[in-house]
Amino acid sequence: MTPTPEIAVKTDDLRKTYAGPKGDVPAVRGIDLDVRRGEFFGLLGPNGAGKSTTIGMLTTLVKPTSGKASVCGFDVVNDAVEVKRRIGMVSQNNTLDSELTAVENLEFRGRFFGLGPRAARRRAEELLELFGLTDRRDGNPFELSGGQAKRLMIGRALVHRPEVLFLDEPTAGLDPQNRVNLWDLLRDLQSQGQTILLTTHYMEEAEVLCDRLAVVDHGEVLARGTVAELKDSAGADTVITVSYDGDVPAKLDGLAARDGISKVEVNGGQVRVFSTAPEGLLGELVSAGAAAGVNVTDASQLRPSLETVFLNLTGRDYRD
Amino acid sequence: MTSTLPKALAADPEPAVRVTVGRTFLAMLSREVRVLRKNFVATFVRVLLQPLLFVFVFAYVLPKVGGGAMTGGAGGGTTFSTVLVPGLVGSSIFMQGIMAIVFPLMMELNWQRSITDRALAPLPIPLLAIEKIVAGGLQALIAGLLVFPCVLFVHAGGQGPDVHVSNWPLLIFVCVFGSLLSASGGLLMGTVIDPQKAQMLFGIILMPLSMLGCVYYPWAALEHVRWLQIVSLANPMVFLNEGLRAALTPGVEHMHFYVYGTVILVGTVLMTWLAARKFTQRVLT
């Protein structure tokens, strides 16, 4: 067996372009990642940012157009079977086997990965108990609630004790209580040394769970690091946004030059100010509107967060 | 749920079990057998009903009501049921080989894309395709085995089929490779046909294959409709039925082994290759 390096997941200029009816559509445009063993790594970005395609390439189900990717030292294209032996994957959709019961879903996953029938059944029962699904053991997986189905999928991905666990938007569509429960579960897994690579479009989820993050958009990594590093390096200022029903008041023209203000963006009747000294600024922007005879139609102040990091990196709202 | 996971639930860089491709392949087959066991009655009642009704009407009712002159063009005093036995066994094998794969596969590839579950198992994707063909072939074989006694024993007095197997290896060859041929065809259809057009599969592909597959007459009898005899050669079911005729009812005129044997064997290899290729292209995007 080839020794597995301390880097669990590595990509080098990884790209994927799909052929569409109107020409090529680039989904991933040169992503470089390195996920260490035991790390909880997040790919954070809005829908359509290329996160699922990236995870698809890492789990061998999407063929890269160019670039390299390896998991536990094995190339995802040339050593796909070796990669699959070492990973567990929880996809966004419910991909549980509808022809099998909950316990059989786990049992057969174990058998696919080399466990004998009895050992696989034992492991399946053990996981059902751990994930609080024993009372649903003989049920159809499509009769489970969203949270239960997701837990069963995570259990299924862990049957063979994978070295790296991939989770694609694991809490999408779950209610807040189930989301928090799942977070606890994932944190427990990581505390046992499980390497986890998660994609999410929930900033809070990335902030709560991940040791390190890569912020992705339009198939590219915009920034990477710990949450604290991202906030420092990406200028995670407080962001104040004010919309007027007319032009942005001329009085605000010199704002960008003022101390404590790192950037001012004007877009039509909207002004967005990135500031490290936001005290009184919102009031000033509102008063400037009143003085110029325009009304304020919307105003917001975001404290430094991953959302303001994203705003600073892309110049647009996260949910645009 | 409270989170109280015990140690060693997760990563294990030195797994105790050595996973082999062969072991994974067999585990996948056993999953198919488990599913087949659950659905056995529903699946095979459907498989049995049509041939059973067919022999009931044509080998029992019609001879009783005066339609016993039907010989399926075999001539020489051959009963119609003698012609029907290999034809109905063959068409059951052929149709079940396709049906066993095509609809489950359409679901797996499209609805929720649950094929990713199997695709993530430590097995090359073309081998996953072959595993599906073997599982489908197994169902086809079971269909043939179940239909055989039905069509053998249901007939009016004096209308019994003249069946005897003098060449068992030939029978096994035709049944096994005929099953794999139809299952590989099912995999190809399930991979390339849009599920929204699945209804067309019956009307435009399966129905003509079945009706014109030399089920109710031997291929040689078509010499009176020469164009149909030639067109029929494009239908793989013809070769399976002719092979079964050679193995089960050698007294009825049938194609030479070199013809049906070659088509069945080469067809199975080519169809498996093509289906595995298309399937891999669908699964790996």
Side-chain angles (χ1 to χ4, degrees), chain A residues 97 104 109 112 114 188 192, chain B residues 3 6 17 24 31 38 117 119:
Chain A
D97 191 335
E104 287 171 334
R109 175 54 64 102
F112 295 168
D188 269 9
Q192 292 180 26
Chain B
S3 187
V17 180
T24 302
R31 179 260 173 206
K38 287 184 185 187
D117 163 43

Side-chain angles (χ1 to χ4, degrees), chain A residues 67-266:
Chain A
K68 286 262 177 205
S70 64
V71 177
C72 304
F74 292 97
D75 186 271
V76 296
V77 177
N78 299 322
D79 299 313
V81 172
E82 291 298 329
V83 171
K84 288 195 276 189
R85 280 178 184 155
R86 290 165 175 79
I87 62 170
M89 162 73 175
V90 179
S91 50
Q92 266 186 72
N93 298 336
N94 182 345
T95 59
L96 292 163
D97 191 335
S98 61
E99 299 276 10
L100 302 176
T101 63
V103 70
E104 287 171 334
N105 262 274
L106 300 176
E107 179 192 338
F108 276 101
R109 175 54 64 102
R111 293 183 65 182
F112 295 168
F113 281 83
L115 292 179
R118 262 179 294 182
R121 177 56 72 123
R122 263 201 313 274
R123 178 81 174 142
E125 301 285 2
E126 176 193 28
L127 284 163
L128 281 179
E129 196 178 329
L130 286 172
F131 287 92
L133 292 166
T134 304
D135 59 331
R136 310 306 303 265
R137 72 187 292 284
D138 297 318
N140 185 299
F142 284 83
E143 288 164 3
L144 300 174
S145 70
Q148 288 171 329
K150 199 58 88 171
R151 290 201 314 262
L152 185 59
M153 285 174 72
I154 293 175
R156 188 179 62 169
L158 292 172
V159 168
H160 60 293
R161 297 187 166 91
E163 292 180 52
V164 184
L165 178 63
F166 291 92
L167 300 148
D168 192 9
E169 301 276 4
T171 62
L174 294 188
D175 61 60
Q177 184 60 50
N178 272 313
R179 180 172 298 166
V180 172
N181 286 344
L182 210 57
W183 288 353
D184 289 341
L185 176 73
L186 295 176
R187 272 194 291 242
D188 269 9
L189 278 173
Q190 195 217 1
S191 71
Q192 292 180 26
Q194 179 71 60
T195 310
I196 301 176
L197 195 158
L198 160 141
T199 75
T200 184
H201 66 275
Y202 296 120
M203 301 224 169
E204 186 193 358
E205 184 163 287
E207 206 158 347
V208 165
L209 292 176
C210 299
D211 298 325
R212 282 196 307 142
L213 287 172
V215 179
V216 291
D217 194 25
H218 296 307
E220 292 175 305
V221 174
L222 303 178
R224 78 193 73 216
T226 63
V227 172
E229 283 168 352
L230 284 172
K231 285 181 181 173
D232 289 345
S233 66
D237 307 321
T238 295
V239 179
I240 298 168
T241 307
V242 176
S243 299
Y244 303 99
D245 64 359
D247 289 339
V248 173
K251 190 179 171 189
L252 300 177
D253 284 353
L255 206 57
R258 196 192 294 176
D259 278 352
I261 299 215
S262 38
K263 190 160 67 171
V264 176
E265 289 174 354
V266 175

